[in-house]
Structures are given as structure tokens and as C-alpha cells.
């Protein structure tokens, strides 16, 4: 997560909030659910949004990535935070594919960090563009005896090529369907399910010269929640 924190400090312009302040407050970067003025992190911690200088929408319920600083503690059971930065999550429902492209495909992007929560593969990425609303993203996967490979697709062809700038996005891929597909393949082959599940991530990136290339990196192993 160290790389994630460093990247978000730049993305959200929160370098000062990425270090411990004193014995009564602390700063952090968390993914989770925000709604009704309350943020619930992926580990279940609930925090009430008390400060919101960025005037972010804290009422509607959705998945987000936030940067925050706690207010001085008065009651350990109730945590109040100042919301410093927020990225809404783009939820990518993964589609099963027979194969994934070996060559560069679609518009390039840079995946700066990726990590697992109980339900999602979480991805922080940057791309070049002018209007983020004209960019679309997708996820496709293959499952075999070695694990899962997830391909993150990006289409920015509808955006203008002039006046582009680095843009950031927080993407979340639900892991239930890919893991179920992997388990079904193992069952059909008379094998036990793979636990934890090895996950490779594939995407089209940039070369130093600006041309596209395909990257394929192992992003760790995903352990699905217990059925108990």
C-alpha cells in the first residue's frame, strides 16, 4: 500500500495528510462505502464526515476512495473526519473471454497501483485526456488451472487529442464471477479450487517513446471471503 499512498498524495494534493499528525489525530487513505455522511472502510470502520472543504457529495451511497484526517478523539467509539479528497469508483463488471489480446489494444493507461479487498480488485490508474466523461473502461478475464488473468480495457477515442492532461481514475472489479468461473473449471477437471487465487493483470500502457505496449503483471493472490 506504500506505493498507493504516495500516488494518492500526488493525485489528491494531500502530501501533508499522509503522515501522522499527533497522538490524538491520524491521517489515512481508504476505500469503502460513503453515504448519509458516513464512510465505512473495507475493514468495517465507520467514520462520520464532519469537515468537507471540497464540498464533496457525502449523501448519496456509493463506493469511493478517500483521503482524510481524523478530528481530535473525544470518544473512541465515534470517529469524525475531515474529508480531504475523494475519487468515485468506476465499477467494472468483468466479462469472461476465451482469450485476451497479446498485442496492444485500445487506448493506453497507466495502472499505478492495485490491491484486493474482500469483494474487489481495486485499481488506481492514470490516462491522458481532456474530457474524462468521453473515456470508457472495461474488464475481461480468462480462467485456467494457473489462476485468473484480468484485462483492463480503455477507450478514449471519443476525446480530443489536443489539450490533454493526466487524469486519474479509481476502478473496482468485483471478483465473485471470475472466482466462480475458476472454481467451475477446476470442478470440471476434477481438481480442488485454487486458494488463494493467483491474479495477473493485463493492460495497454505507454513506452518511453509514446507508443503502446502490453503489460502483464502479477498483482498478488486473492482470498475470497469465507462462506461461513
Amino acid at each position: 500500500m506504500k506505493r498507493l499512498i504516495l500516488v494518492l498524495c500526488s493525485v489528491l494534493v494531500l502530501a501533508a495528510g499522509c503522515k501522522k499528525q499527533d497522538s490524538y489525530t491520524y491521517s489515512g487513505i481508504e476505500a469503502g462505502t460513503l453515504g448519509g455522511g458516513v464512510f465505512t472502510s473495507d475493514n468495517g470502520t465507520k467514520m462520520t464526515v464532519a469537515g468537507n472543504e471540497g464540498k464533496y457529495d457525502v449523501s448519496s451511497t456509493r463506493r469511493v476512495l478517500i483521503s482524510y484526517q481524523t478530528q481530535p478523539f473525544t470518544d473512541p467509539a465515534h470517529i469524525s473526519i475531515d474529508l480531504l479528497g475523494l475519487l468515485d469508483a468506476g465499477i467494472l463488471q468483468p466479462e469472461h473471454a476465451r482469450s485476451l489480446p497479446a498485442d496492444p489494444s485500445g487506448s493506453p493507461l497507466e495502472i499505478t497501483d492495485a490491491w484486493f479487498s474482500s469483494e474487489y480488485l481495486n485499481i488506481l490508474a492514470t490516462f491522458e485526456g481532456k474530457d474524462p466523461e468521453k473515456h470508457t473502461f472495461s474488464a475481461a478475464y480468462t480462467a485456467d488451472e494457473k489462476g485468473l488473468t484480468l484485462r483492463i480495457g480503455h477507450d478514449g477515442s471519443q476525446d480530443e487529442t489536443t489539450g490533454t492532461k493526466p487524469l486519474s481514475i479509481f476502478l473496482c472489479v468485483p471478483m465473485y464471477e471470475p472466482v466462480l468461473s475458476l472454481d467451475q473449471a477446476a470442478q470440471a477437471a476434477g481438481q480442488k479450487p485454487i486458494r488463494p487465487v493467483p491474479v495477473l493483470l493485463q493492460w495497454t500502457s505507454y513506452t518511453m517513446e509514446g507508443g503502446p505496449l502490453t503489460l502483464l503483471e502479477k498483482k498478488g493472490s486473492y482470498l475470497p471471503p469465507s462462506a461461513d
Side-chain angles (χ1 to χ4, degrees):
M1 292 291 289
K2 183 183 293 183
R3 186 180 179 190
L4 168 66
I5 292 174
L6 291 174
V7 169
L8 271 178
C9 285
S10 173
V11 170
L12 302 178
V13 198
L14 300 176
C18 294
K19 59 183 179 180
K20 198 171 182 179
Q21 303 295 318
D22 55 46
S23 58
Y24 301 101
T25 67
Y26 67 90
S27 301
I29 295 169
E30 298 278 355
T33 302
L34 177 65
V38 176
F39 174 78
T40 304
S41 69
D42 283 341
N43 64 14
T45 302
K46 293 184 180 296
M47 295 178 275
T48 300
V49 178
N52 183 13
E53 292 186 5
K55 297 182 179 180
Y56 301 104
D57 175 10
V58 299
S59 298
S60 59
T61 301
R62 69 229 191 257
R63 184 166 176 78
V64 296
L65 184 68
I66 69 166
S67 179
Y68 66 93
Q69 180 175 310
T70 63
Q71 295 190 352
F73 293 113
T74 57
D75 181 355
H78 296 87
I79 303 174
S80 296
I81 61 172
D82 293 320
L83 188 60
L84 304 179
L86 182 149
L87 290 175
D88 284 295
I91 308 296
L92 304 182
Q93 296 296 336
E95 296 185 1
H96 188 268
R98 290 187 176 182
S99 62
L100 299 175
D103 298 323
S105 176
S107 305
L109 75 159
E110 292 290 334
I111 293 181
T112 53
D113 215 327
W115 70 101
F116 295 107
S117 57
S118 62
E119 298 181 41
Y120 298 99
L121 169 63
N122 304 287
I123 298 169
L124 188 63
T126 61
F127 57 97
E128 295 287 332
K130 184 176 182 180
D131 183 357
E133 297 297 324
K134 294 184 178 180
H135 293 252
T136 59
F137 300 85
S138 61
Y141 72 92
T142 58
D144 56 33
E145 68 280 0
K146 297 180 181 179
L148 295 170
T149 301
L150 284 160
R151 168 82 189 197
I152 305 303
H154 169 214
D155 182 2
S157 60
Q158 300 304 310
D159 201 358
E160 297 182 35
T161 57
T162 58
T164 59
K165 58 184 179 181
L167 301 171
S168 300
I169 192 167
F170 175 48
L171 303 171
C172 297
V173 182
M175 293 298 293
Y176 175 78
E177 182 180 323
V179 170
L180 178 61
S181 178
L182 183 67
D183 289 352
Q184 290 173 340
Q187 183 178 12
Q191 302 172 347
K192 293 182 179 180
I194 303 173
R195 293 293 186 273
V197 180
V199 177
L200 293 171
L201 197 57
Q202 185 187 46
W203 69 96
T204 295
S205 187
Y206 305 88
T207 64
M208 294 296 292
E209 294 76 23
L213 77 162
T214 298
L215 291 182
L216 181 66
E217 294 183 0
K218 184 174 181 180
K219 288 301 179 181
S221 296
Y222 171 68
L223 185 62
S226 172
D228 298 337

